[in-house]
Amino acid sequence: MAILKIARMGHPVLLQRAEPVADPTAPEIRRLVADMIETMEDATGAGLAAPQVHVPLRLFVFRVNPDRASGDAEDRAVLPNAVVINPTVELLGEDRRLRWEGCLSIPGLRAAVPRAWRIRYSGVDTTGAPVGGEVTGFHAGVVQHEYDHLDGILYPMRMTDFSQFGFNEEIARAQALAQAAKP
Ligand code: NI
């Protein structure tokens, strides 16, 4: 396995539309997925799409750690490392919510991005078995973020309120101050 180089915003590979994976069970795809998972864990990311490691193919990996769920009854999913190859995503309902997101291609920054609360997605894994389902909350948000990478879309292109965009440390400090000021 290997840790892969992550493309940063400004690199053209992040703006192109990725191509479908011809054979999801091919050994080189299995190797790519293993390397992407290792890279995501090394960078402590929640997700990583193939174009972010300079491979313009339609697949991404992600995970949902316990600390990422909001506590909302519909947002308690915790998932180990997952892969989705040749995904489809369908937004369900009209519910859109601002959720804080970061991206390994935009290091050090985060923003509140509007996302559908509920989605249905599908794809296959490296054995060709179907994956996906109907999901909500963080799980739905991370799938929308990673899927966007396959169409050359980065989260700033989805933003509606640029006052909620900044450096991780500054936002964390501001949130801690706001919390402390509450009676
Ligand atoms: Ni990203």
Side-chain angles (χ1 to χ4, degrees):
M1 298 218 293
I3 291 174
L4 305 171
K5 186 171 186 211
I6 298 174
R8 291 185 303 170
M9 184 167 61
H11 193 294
V13 74
L14 295 172
L15 297 176
Q16 73 187 70
R17 188 179 157 83
E19 295 292 326
V21 178
D23 179 6
T25 66
E28 61 267 27
I29 296 300
R30 207 166 295 203
R31 197 174 319 122
L32 171 65
V33 168
D35 288 346
M36 284 173 61
I37 286 172
E38 191 179 7
T39 304
M40 172 178 70
E41 290 180 334
D42 176 70
T44 63
L48 187 65
Q52 291 182 275
V53 292
H54 306 265
V55 178
L57 289 176
R58 302 188 77 77
L59 73 93
F60 58 79
V61 299
F62 71 101
R63 55 184 178 167
V64 181
N65 287 334
D67 60 323
R68 307 307 289 263
S70 68
D72 183 299
E74 286 190 298
D75 195 13
R76 288 200 186 120
V78 175
L79 272 187
N81 293 327
V83 60
V84 191
I85 302 170
N86 295 335
T88 65
V89 174
E90 183 188 354
L91 310 186
L92 301 176
E94 301 301 314
D95 193 355
R96 302 287 181 276
R97 303 188 194 181
L98 285 175
R99 298 179 64 85
W100 286 96
E101 292 185 14
C103 180
L104 295 177
S105 294
I106 312 173
L109 293 165
R110 67 173 120 152
V113 182
R115 297 287 185 188
W117 178 252
R118 182 183 299 275
I119 66 163
R120 186 184 298 125
Y121 74 100
S122 66
V124 297
D125 65 16
T126 55
T127 70
V131 295
E134 197 173 312
V135 300
T136 53
F138 181 83
H139 190 167
V142 74
V143 167
Q144 289 170 78
H145 176 117
E146 299 311 326
Y147 184 86
D148 270 354
H149 277 299
L150 309 183
D151 288 338
I153 298 167
L154 299 169
Y155 76 72
M157 301 175 187
R158 296 285 191 196
M159 289 182 61
T160 50
D161 179 0
F162 285 87
S163 72
Q164 298 191 75
F165 190 21
F167 289 93
N168 287 326
E169 294 81 4
E170 298 297 342
I171 290 166
R173 189 180 348 212
Q175 286 176 342
L177 284 171
Q179 195 64 31
K182 279 188 184 161

PDB file of all heavy atoms in Angstrom, residues 14 47-49 52 101-106 115 142 145-146 149 153-155, ligand 1:
ATOM      1  N   LEU A  14      -9.006  18.460 -10.589  1.00  0.00           N
ATOM      2  CA  LEU A  14     -10.160  18.580  -9.684  1.00  0.00           C
ATOM      3  C   LEU A  14     -11.371  19.201 -10.375  1.00  0.00           C
ATOM      4  O   LEU A  14     -12.458  19.221  -9.801  1.00  0.00           O
ATOM      5  CB  LEU A  14      -9.768  19.434  -8.468  1.00  0.00           C
ATOM      6  CG  LEU A  14      -8.702  18.813  -7.561  1.00  0.00           C
ATOM      7  CD1 LEU A  14      -8.262  19.816  -6.505  1.00  0.00           C
ATOM      8  CD2 LEU A  14      -9.215  17.535  -6.912  1.00  0.00           C
ATOM      9  N   GLY A  47     -13.409  11.538   3.759  1.00  0.00           N
ATOM     10  CA  GLY A  47     -13.685  11.000   2.435  1.00  0.00           C
ATOM     11  C   GLY A  47     -12.603  11.416   1.466  1.00  0.00           C
ATOM     12  O   GLY A  47     -11.860  12.370   1.723  1.00  0.00           O
ATOM     13  N   LEU A  48     -12.502  10.660   0.377  1.00  0.00           N
ATOM     14  CA  LEU A  48     -11.495  10.957  -0.645  1.00  0.00           C
ATOM     15  C   LEU A  48     -12.003  10.396  -1.972  1.00  0.00           C
ATOM     16  O   LEU A  48     -12.380   9.227  -2.052  1.00  0.00           O
ATOM     17  CB  LEU A  48     -10.154  10.309  -0.267  1.00  0.00           C
ATOM     18  CG  LEU A  48      -8.940  10.637  -1.133  1.00  0.00           C
ATOM     19  CD1 LEU A  48      -8.561  12.109  -1.042  1.00  0.00           C
ATOM     20  CD2 LEU A  48      -7.750   9.757  -0.732  1.00  0.00           C
ATOM     21  N   ALA A  49     -12.006  11.243  -3.000  1.00  0.00           N
ATOM     22  CA  ALA A  49     -12.455  10.826  -4.325  1.00  0.00           C
ATOM     23  C   ALA A  49     -11.232  10.641  -5.228  1.00  0.00           C
ATOM     24  O   ALA A  49     -10.212  11.325  -5.054  1.00  0.00           O
ATOM     25  CB  ALA A  49     -13.394  11.874  -4.921  1.00  0.00           C
ATOM     26  N   GLN A  52      -9.018  13.383  -6.588  1.00  0.00           N
ATOM     27  CA  GLN A  52      -8.154  14.062  -5.612  1.00  0.00           C
ATOM     28  C   GLN A  52      -6.765  13.437  -5.537  1.00  0.00           C
ATOM     29  O   GLN A  52      -5.847  14.056  -5.012  1.00  0.00           O
ATOM     30  CB  GLN A  52      -8.792  14.025  -4.217  1.00  0.00           C
ATOM     31  CG  GLN A  52     -10.038  14.882  -4.104  1.00  0.00           C
ATOM     32  CD  GLN A  52     -10.577  14.829  -2.693  1.00  0.00           C
ATOM     33  OE1 GLN A  52     -11.323  13.934  -2.337  1.00  0.00           O
ATOM     34  NE2 GLN A  52     -10.175  15.784  -1.865  1.00  0.00           N
ATOM     35  N   GLU A 101     -18.149  21.629   6.381  1.00  0.00           N
ATOM     36  CA  GLU A 101     -17.373  20.695   5.584  1.00  0.00           C
ATOM     37  C   GLU A 101     -15.949  21.185   5.436  1.00  0.00           C
ATOM     38  O   GLU A 101     -15.702  22.380   5.359  1.00  0.00           O
ATOM     39  CB  GLU A 101     -17.948  20.591   4.155  1.00  0.00           C
ATOM     40  CG  GLU A 101     -19.289  19.940   4.092  1.00  0.00           C
ATOM     41  CD  GLU A 101     -19.778  19.745   2.662  1.00  0.00           C
ATOM     42  OE1 GLU A 101     -18.972  19.868   1.703  1.00  0.00           O
ATOM     43  OE2 GLU A 101     -20.978  19.464   2.518  1.00  0.00           O
ATOM     44  N   GLY A 102     -15.055  20.212   5.349  1.00  0.00           N
ATOM     45  CA  GLY A 102     -13.695  20.494   4.919  1.00  0.00           C
ATOM     46  C   GLY A 102     -13.397  19.604   3.736  1.00  0.00           C
ATOM     47  O   GLY A 102     -14.238  18.796   3.332  1.00  0.00           O
ATOM     48  N   CYS A 103     -12.213  19.770   3.153  1.00  0.00           N
ATOM     49  CA  CYS A 103     -11.839  18.969   1.991  1.00  0.00           C
ATOM     50  C   CYS A 103     -10.322  18.821   1.998  1.00  0.00           C
ATOM     51  O   CYS A 103      -9.614  19.808   2.209  1.00  0.00           O
ATOM     52  CB  CYS A 103     -12.310  19.666   0.710  1.00  0.00           C
ATOM     53  SG  CYS A 103     -11.888  18.769  -0.792  1.00  0.00           S
ATOM     54  N   LEU A 104      -9.838  17.604   1.765  1.00  0.00           N
ATOM     55  CA  LEU A 104      -8.387  17.383   1.782  1.00  0.00           C
ATOM     56  C   LEU A 104      -7.694  18.137   0.652  1.00  0.00           C
ATOM     57  O   LEU A 104      -6.484  18.359   0.711  1.00  0.00           O
ATOM     58  CB  LEU A 104      -8.073  15.888   1.697  1.00  0.00           C
ATOM     59  CG  LEU A 104      -8.538  15.066   2.916  1.00  0.00           C
ATOM     60  CD1 LEU A 104      -8.244  13.593   2.701  1.00  0.00           C
ATOM     61  CD2 LEU A 104      -7.874  15.562   4.188  1.00  0.00           C
ATOM     62  N   SER A 105      -8.445  18.582  -0.355  1.00  0.00           N
ATOM     63  CA  SER A 105      -7.866  19.374  -1.445  1.00  0.00           C
ATOM     64  C   SER A 105      -7.887  20.874  -1.140  1.00  0.00           C
ATOM     65  O   SER A 105      -7.387  21.679  -1.938  1.00  0.00           O
ATOM     66  CB  SER A 105      -8.620  19.103  -2.753  1.00  0.00           C
ATOM     67  OG  SER A 105      -8.418  17.758  -3.153  1.00  0.00           O
ATOM     68  N   ILE A 106      -8.505  21.248  -0.001  1.00  0.00           N
ATOM     69  CA  ILE A 106      -8.569  22.656   0.417  1.00  0.00           C
ATOM     70  C   ILE A 106      -8.123  22.694   1.877  1.00  0.00           C
ATOM     71  O   ILE A 106      -8.907  22.971   2.784  1.00  0.00           O
ATOM     72  CB  ILE A 106      -9.999  23.223   0.232  1.00  0.00           C
ATOM     73  CG1 ILE A 106     -10.562  22.875  -1.148  1.00  0.00           C
ATOM     74  CG2 ILE A 106     -10.016  24.735   0.444  1.00  0.00           C
ATOM     75  CD1 ILE A 106     -12.027  23.260  -1.332  1.00  0.00           C
ATOM     76  N   ARG A 115     -26.637  21.251   1.906  1.00  0.00           N
ATOM     77  CA  ARG A 115     -26.718  19.886   1.359  1.00  0.00           C
ATOM     78  C   ARG A 115     -28.099  19.315   1.626  1.00  0.00           C
ATOM     79  O   ARG A 115     -28.734  19.654   2.635  1.00  0.00           O
ATOM     80  CB  ARG A 115     -25.698  18.967   2.041  1.00  0.00           C
ATOM     81  CG  ARG A 115     -24.250  19.342   1.840  1.00  0.00           C
ATOM     82  CD  ARG A 115     -23.770  19.049   0.437  1.00  0.00           C
ATOM     83  NE  ARG A 115     -22.335  19.319   0.298  1.00  0.00           N
ATOM     84  CZ  ARG A 115     -21.700  19.294  -0.873  1.00  0.00           C
ATOM     85  NH1 ARG A 115     -22.355  19.028  -1.994  1.00  0.00           N
ATOM     86  NH2 ARG A 115     -20.416  19.548  -0.928  1.00  0.00           N
ATOM     87  N   VAL A 142     -21.497  13.632   3.282  1.00  0.00           N
ATOM     88  CA  VAL A 142     -20.178  13.216   2.791  1.00  0.00           C
ATOM     89  C   VAL A 142     -20.316  12.556   1.420  1.00  0.00           C
ATOM     90  O   VAL A 142     -19.472  12.773   0.533  1.00  0.00           O
ATOM     91  CB  VAL A 142     -19.429  12.331   3.824  1.00  0.00           C
ATOM     92  CG1 VAL A 142     -19.990  10.937   3.927  1.00  0.00           C
ATOM     93  CG2 VAL A 142     -17.941  12.253   3.490  1.00  0.00           C
ATOM     94  N   HIS A 145     -20.676  15.389  -1.079  1.00  0.00           N
ATOM     95  CA  HIS A 145     -19.385  16.073  -1.262  1.00  0.00           C
ATOM     96  C   HIS A 145     -18.470  15.244  -2.165  1.00  0.00           C
ATOM     97  O   HIS A 145     -17.881  15.783  -3.121  1.00  0.00           O
ATOM     98  CB  HIS A 145     -18.749  16.297   0.117  1.00  0.00           C
ATOM     99  CG  HIS A 145     -17.386  16.905   0.084  1.00  0.00           C
ATOM    100  ND1 HIS A 145     -17.095  18.133   0.620  1.00  0.00           N
ATOM    101  CD2 HIS A 145     -16.206  16.445  -0.435  1.00  0.00           C
ATOM    102  CE1 HIS A 145     -15.806  18.406   0.425  1.00  0.00           C
ATOM    103  NE2 HIS A 145     -15.246  17.393  -0.206  1.00  0.00           N
ATOM    104  N   GLU A 146     -18.344  13.947  -1.869  1.00  0.00           N
ATOM    105  CA  GLU A 146     -17.424  13.104  -2.653  1.00  0.00           C
ATOM    106  C   GLU A 146     -17.938  12.914  -4.078  1.00  0.00           C
ATOM    107  O   GLU A 146     -17.162  12.911  -5.036  1.00  0.00           O
ATOM    108  CB  GLU A 146     -17.211  11.747  -1.970  1.00  0.00           C
ATOM    109  CG  GLU A 146     -16.599  11.819  -0.575  1.00  0.00           C
ATOM    110  CD  GLU A 146     -15.371  12.705  -0.489  1.00  0.00           C
ATOM    111  OE1 GLU A 146     -14.600  12.775  -1.459  1.00  0.00           O
ATOM    112  OE2 GLU A 146     -15.182  13.362   0.560  1.00  0.00           O
ATOM    113  N   HIS A 149     -16.979  15.673  -6.406  1.00  0.00           N
ATOM    114  CA  HIS A 149     -15.609  15.620  -6.935  1.00  0.00           C
ATOM    115  C   HIS A 149     -15.564  14.917  -8.296  1.00  0.00           C
ATOM    116  O   HIS A 149     -14.720  15.236  -9.133  1.00  0.00           O
ATOM    117  CB  HIS A 149     -14.680  14.875  -5.969  1.00  0.00           C
ATOM    118  CG  HIS A 149     -14.142  15.715  -4.851  1.00  0.00           C
ATOM    119  ND1 HIS A 149     -13.355  16.823  -5.063  1.00  0.00           N
ATOM    120  CD2 HIS A 149     -14.266  15.606  -3.503  1.00  0.00           C
ATOM    121  CE1 HIS A 149     -13.021  17.357  -3.890  1.00  0.00           C
ATOM    122  NE2 HIS A 149     -13.568  16.643  -2.934  1.00  0.00           N
ATOM    123  N   ILE A 153     -16.678  19.336  -9.145  1.00  0.00           N
ATOM    124  CA  ILE A 153     -17.266  20.379  -8.286  1.00  0.00           C
ATOM    125  C   ILE A 153     -16.623  20.330  -6.900  1.00  0.00           C
ATOM    126  O   ILE A 153     -16.580  19.275  -6.264  1.00  0.00           O
ATOM    127  CB  ILE A 153     -18.798  20.178  -8.168  1.00  0.00           C
ATOM    128  CG1 ILE A 153     -19.455  20.309  -9.546  1.00  0.00           C
ATOM    129  CG2 ILE A 153     -19.407  21.153  -7.161  1.00  0.00           C
ATOM    130  CD1 ILE A 153     -20.894  19.833  -9.597  1.00  0.00           C
ATOM    131  N   LEU A 154     -16.122  21.491  -6.456  1.00  0.00           N
ATOM    132  CA  LEU A 154     -15.550  21.615  -5.108  1.00  0.00           C
ATOM    133  C   LEU A 154     -16.538  22.382  -4.233  1.00  0.00           C
ATOM    134  O   LEU A 154     -17.317  23.197  -4.732  1.00  0.00           O
ATOM    135  CB  LEU A 154     -14.212  22.349  -5.175  1.00  0.00           C
ATOM    136  CG  LEU A 154     -13.145  21.639  -6.027  1.00  0.00           C
ATOM    137  CD1 LEU A 154     -11.957  22.554  -6.268  1.00  0.00           C
ATOM    138  CD2 LEU A 154     -12.697  20.342  -5.366  1.00  0.00           C
ATOM    139  N   TYR A 155     -16.473  22.158  -2.897  1.00  0.00           N
ATOM    140  CA  TYR A 155     -17.539  22.700  -2.044  1.00  0.00           C
ATOM    141  C   TYR A 155     -17.724  24.220  -2.129  1.00  0.00           C
ATOM    142  O   TYR A 155     -18.867  24.689  -1.982  1.00  0.00           O
ATOM    143  CB  TYR A 155     -17.430  22.199  -0.594  1.00  0.00           C
ATOM    144  CG  TYR A 155     -16.359  22.822   0.266  1.00  0.00           C
ATOM    145  CD1 TYR A 155     -16.474  24.139   0.727  1.00  0.00           C
ATOM    146  CD2 TYR A 155     -15.247  22.092   0.655  1.00  0.00           C
ATOM    147  CE1 TYR A 155     -15.489  24.699   1.522  1.00  0.00           C
ATOM    148  CE2 TYR A 155     -14.259  22.649   1.456  1.00  0.00           C
ATOM    149  CZ  TYR A 155     -14.377  23.965   1.881  1.00  0.00           C
ATOM    150  OH  TYR A 155     -13.402  24.517   2.669  1.00  0.00           O
TER     151      TYR A 155
HETATM  152 NI    NI B   1     -13.300  17.001  -0.859  1.00  0.00          NI
END
